């Protein structure tokens, strides 16, 4: 593990609550067990790398719940690109690969939208032969109910709701809980069968590797067929748009198809507030719980997130390339150990989370790890220059007794940041700007890559700076076959 020196006089303080957003109260009843004991006073905390500093102003979004390398002296990467100099009102950095598309003719036939993480409603029903996880208090049969976003009036016992939300490993992949059917969108009438597939968004609990329980869960084959039918009927390609977590879900869908299929059916891919390289805040969801959830709700969300593939899908990727974290960059510091992106398996072991480790083993080598170029015209709009979590410091040593699946950790982490890697509050710069890795391949193939960064643009599904709003409107007009002066 990294062992770089701490500067004399360094201190760390707990992050403030400013900027955090509570997304509504859930049920406050939860019986998940023990608490974290006091840190061992005899342990000596290891130094964190000198690129990290306390970040009391960080407003990390945790689970991202939305209801609606050049080494320095210590091996720490140093900022070598010009983003840090691009500050001020409407400052932006646009990197393209030299390929431009003057026009898209009559425009796309449809816009396939992958919205923000957890923004799509989920509706569930089940008929089981035995309780899940030994929870005998849970009913074995239930008609359609709105599982997400959670509603205290309809969710029932929080532990039963957690059983419904969690994923389950089956044959090296995933499945829903036994006897359970989940669809996206609104709930059918009571007693109704599962409706025919209609693309209402994606089940955010999964990433690029999806269960095959039904078309809504597997998603990609049914969506691809729907796109093929649209293109055949209209004679025009479709465009794919993703924002926030929808950028990587849209990307995973595209990469699940062949290059020939993408080039035949997809006019362009548009990404706003991407999280290509994952988020550090997603780690907090498992280490402690998401920022938005308070009290017992935090304990419940933390327990659920340990078994949600998409949370572990968004963990940082080890490596030396764009959007990756090298062996010197500390992400998590306990009382006596440092963890880099190369130590995340060990971190899950130390936390006492073997089921989470099984999920991580499935997730860590998928589309985001390979990050191959989509080889279709791609337009990216990302933010940078806002304080963004880069790591966490804890007072205690991790263990099953203090951090395992049946406990609720009570040692809140101190947020740390790397100023040069400040992104859009949710994702660090290396993650939001990672698409630049595709520039050369797209240039050779004759495909656009416009990778545009906007200073102090906040994470979200809409541009928050005037310059981004102007650029996005122009690009969208171009894709629709409308006037597009200026782009």
């Amino acid at each position: 593990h990294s062992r770089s020196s701490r500067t004399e006089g360094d201190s760390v303080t707990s992050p403030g609550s400013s900027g955090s957003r509570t997304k509504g109260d859930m049920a406050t009843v939860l019986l998940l067990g023990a608490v974290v004991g006091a840190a061992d006073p005899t342990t000596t905390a290891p130094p964190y790398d000198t690129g990290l500093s306390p970040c009391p102003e960080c407003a990390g979004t945790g689970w991202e719940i939305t209801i609606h390398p050049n080494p320095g002296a210590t091996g720490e990467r140093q900022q070598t690109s010009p983003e840090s100099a691009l500050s001020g009102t409407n400052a932006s950095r646009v990197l393209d690969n030299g390929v431009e598309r003057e026009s898209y003719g009559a425009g796309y036939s449809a816009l396939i939208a992958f919205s923000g993480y957890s923004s799509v409603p989920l509706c569930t029903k089940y008929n089981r032969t035995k309780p899940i996880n030994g929870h005998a208090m849970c009913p074995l049969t239930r008609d359609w109910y709105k599982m997400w976003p959670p509603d205290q009036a309809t969710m029932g016992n929080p532990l039963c709701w957690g059983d419904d939300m969690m994923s389950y490993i089956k044959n090296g992949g995933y499945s829903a809980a036994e006897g359970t059917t989940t669809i996206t969108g609104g709930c059918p009438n009571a007693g109704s069968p599962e409706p025919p597939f209609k693309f209402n968004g994606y089940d955010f609990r999964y990433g690029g590797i999806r269960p095959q329980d039904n078309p809504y869960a597997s998603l990609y084959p049914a969506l691809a067929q729907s796109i093929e039918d649209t293109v055949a009927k209209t004679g025009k390609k479709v465009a794919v748009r993703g924002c926030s977590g929808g950028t990587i879900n849209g990307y995973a869908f595209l990469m699940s198809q062949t290059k020939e299929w993408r080039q035949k059916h997809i006019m362009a891919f548009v990404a706003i507030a991407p999280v290509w390289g994952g988020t550090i805040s997603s780690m907090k969801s498992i280490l402690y719980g998401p920022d938005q959830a308070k009290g017992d709700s935090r304990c419940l969300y933390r327990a659920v997130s340990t078994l949600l593939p998409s949370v572990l899908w968004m963990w940082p990727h080890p490596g030396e390339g764009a959007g990756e974290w090298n062996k010197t960059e500390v992400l998590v510091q306990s009382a006596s150990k440092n963890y880099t992106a190369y130590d995340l398996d060990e971190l899950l072991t130390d936390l006492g989370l073997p089921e989470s480790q099984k999920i991580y083993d499935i997730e860590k080598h998928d589309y985001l790890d390979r990050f191959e170029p989509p080889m279709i015209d791609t337009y990216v709009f990302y933010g940078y220059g806002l304080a963004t979590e880069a790591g966490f410091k804890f007072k205690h040593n991790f263990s099953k007794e203090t951090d395992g699946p049946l406990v609720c950790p009570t040692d809140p982490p101190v947020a740390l940041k790397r100023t040069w890697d400040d992104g859009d509050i949710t994702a660090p710069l290396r993650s939001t700007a990672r698409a630049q890795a595709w520039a050369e391949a797209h240039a050779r193939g004759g495909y656009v890559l416009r990778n545009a960064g906007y200073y102090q643009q906040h994470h979200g599904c809409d541009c928050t700076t005037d310059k981004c709003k102007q650029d996005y409107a122009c690009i969208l007009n171009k894709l629709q076959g409308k006037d597009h002066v200026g782009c």
Side-chain angles (χ1 to χ4, degrees):
H1 301 297
S2 172
R3 291 289 187 272
S4 52
S5 60
R6 178 177 294 167
T7 302
E8 182 67 26
D10 277 357
S11 62
V12 289
T13 56
S14 298
S17 60
S18 106
S20 64
R21 297 170 295 168
T22 301
K23 295 298 185 179
D25 291 331
M26 276 185 41
T28 58
V29 179
L30 184 66
L31 303 173
L32 283 182
V35 299
V36 173
D40 181 351
T42 64
T43 60
T44 301
Y48 51 76
D49 54 73
T50 56
L52 284 171
S53 61
C55 186
E57 73 274 27
C58 278
T61 55
W63 192 14
E64 301 177 63
I65 300 166
T66 306
I67 300 181
H68 68 101
N70 283 331
T74 65
E76 167 73 22
R77 296 177 198 253
Q78 302 296 317
Q79 174 67 304
T80 58
S81 55
E83 284 94 339
S84 57
L86 289 170
S87 60
T89 304
N90 280 334
S92 63
R93 176 176 184 259
V94 180
L95 297 176
D96 61 50
N97 63 345
V99 179
E100 294 187 10
R101 195 79 58 208
E102 292 297 328
S103 170
Y104 288 95
Y108 57 72
S109 59
L111 183 65
I112 309 301
F114 286 80
S115 57
Y117 185 75
S118 75
S119 63
V120 177
L122 301 178
C123 188
T124 295
K125 71 174 182 178
Y126 55 82
N127 184 12
R128 298 169 183 158
T129 59
K130 60 182 179 180
I132 300 295
N133 294 326
H135 292 156
M137 80 291 286
C138 301
L140 295 180
T141 300
R142 189 170 185 184
D143 210 338
W144 294 111
Y145 84 98
K146 184 178 71 172
M147 180 174 70
W148 188 268
D151 184 339
Q152 187 170 350
T154 60
M155 70 184 293
N157 186 303
L159 289 177
C160 304
W161 173 84
D163 291 342
D164 299 344
M165 279 289 296
M166 295 175 185
S167 66
Y168 299 85
I169 295 177
K170 182 179 181 180
N171 299 326
Y174 302 117
S175 71
E178 182 257 334
T180 302
T181 299
T182 299
I183 64 173
T184 56
C187 285
N189 294 328
S192 299
E194 178 185 325
F197 175 81
K198 179 181 180 181
F199 182 61
N200 297 312
Y202 60 98
D203 187 334
F204 71 90
R205 296 174 298 167
Y206 304 99
I209 301 169
R210 310 188 67 83
Q212 303 300 305
D213 299 322
N214 64 16
Y216 290 93
S218 58
L219 183 62
Y220 298 159
L223 179 56
Q225 184 61 59
S226 176
I227 290 173
E228 290 172 16
D229 294 343
T230 298
V231 172
K233 181 179 179 180
T234 64
K236 299 195 298 181
K237 297 180 181 181
V238 306
V240 173
R241 177 192 186 272
C243 67
S244 184
T247 58
I248 53 178
N249 276 275
Y251 170 73
F253 162 68
L254 291 171
M255 301 310 290
S256 73
Q257 309 300 309
T258 66
K259 180 177 69 174
E260 291 72 24
W261 186 95
R262 295 194 297 271
Q263 293 170 352
K264 180 178 179 180
H265 297 96
I266 308 299
M267 175 182 290
F269 180 31
V270 179
I272 299 179
V275 289
W276 307 122
T279 67
I280 306 300
S281 58
S282 61
M283 300 182 68
K284 187 177 182 180
S285 300
I286 289 178
L287 292 164
Y288 181 70
D291 284 339
Q292 292 90 339
K294 308 300 179 183
D296 290 333
S297 294
R298 175 183 64 81
C299 301
L300 178 58
Y301 276 129
R302 191 263 179 173
V304 170
S305 66
T306 62
L307 294 176
L308 283 191
S310 60
V311 174
L312 288 145
W313 187 43
M314 289 190 286
W315 276 28
H317 291 271
E320 301 293 332
E324 297 173 331
W325 278 258
N326 69 29
K327 292 181 178 180
T328 73
E329 295 176 298
V330 177
L331 298 174
V332 178
Q333 182 185 35
S334 71
S336 62
K337 186 181 289 187
N338 285 335
Y339 302 87
T340 72
Y342 287 82
D343 306 316
L344 299 183
D345 283 297
E346 183 178 352
L347 172 62
L348 290 169
T349 297
D350 290 350
L351 290 166
L353 297 173
E355 295 304 311
S356 299
Q357 189 165 3
K358 292 176 184 177
I359 293 174
Y360 181 62
D361 286 342
I362 294 173
E363 294 296 325
K364 63 186 177 182
H365 295 306
D366 90 322
Y367 302 110
L368 295 182
D369 185 51
R370 298 187 293 272
F371 205 58
E372 297 171 347
M375 302 304 288
I376 52 176
D377 287 359
T378 301
Y379 299 89
V380 182
F381 304 81
Y382 66 88
Y384 67 91
L386 294 169
T388 303
E389 290 169 331
F392 301 105
K393 182 178 184 293
F394 291 82
K395 297 177 182 177
H396 73 290
N397 288 314
F398 300 131
S399 70
K400 180 179 180 180
E401 290 70 33
T402 58
D403 306 276
L406 298 180
V407 299
C408 184
T410 61
D411 175 13
V414 171
L416 304 170
K417 68 175 181 179
R418 292 180 175 90
T419 301
W420 68 261
D421 208 16
D422 277 346
D424 63 7
I425 295 179
T426 293
L429 175 61
R430 77 181 79 190
S431 177
T432 62
R434 190 185 185 191
Q436 200 60 33
W438 301 333
E440 184 177 344
H442 272 221
R444 288 198 307 266
Y447 294 100
V448 173
L449 175 65
R450 184 184 186 276
N451 196 33
Y454 300 88
Y455 181 66
Q456 292 197 338
Q457 171 153 296
H458 288 250
H459 188 87
C461 284
D462 297 297
C463 292
T464 62
T465 65
D466 290 340
K467 177 61 174 170
C468 182
K469 292 175 182 177
Q470 176 185 339
D471 291 350
Y472 176 74
C474 192
I475 295 298
L476 196 63
N477 282 341
K478 179 190 286 191
L479 294 173
Q480 291 174 321
K482 298 178 181 179
D483 291 338
H484 52 277
V485 177
C487 62

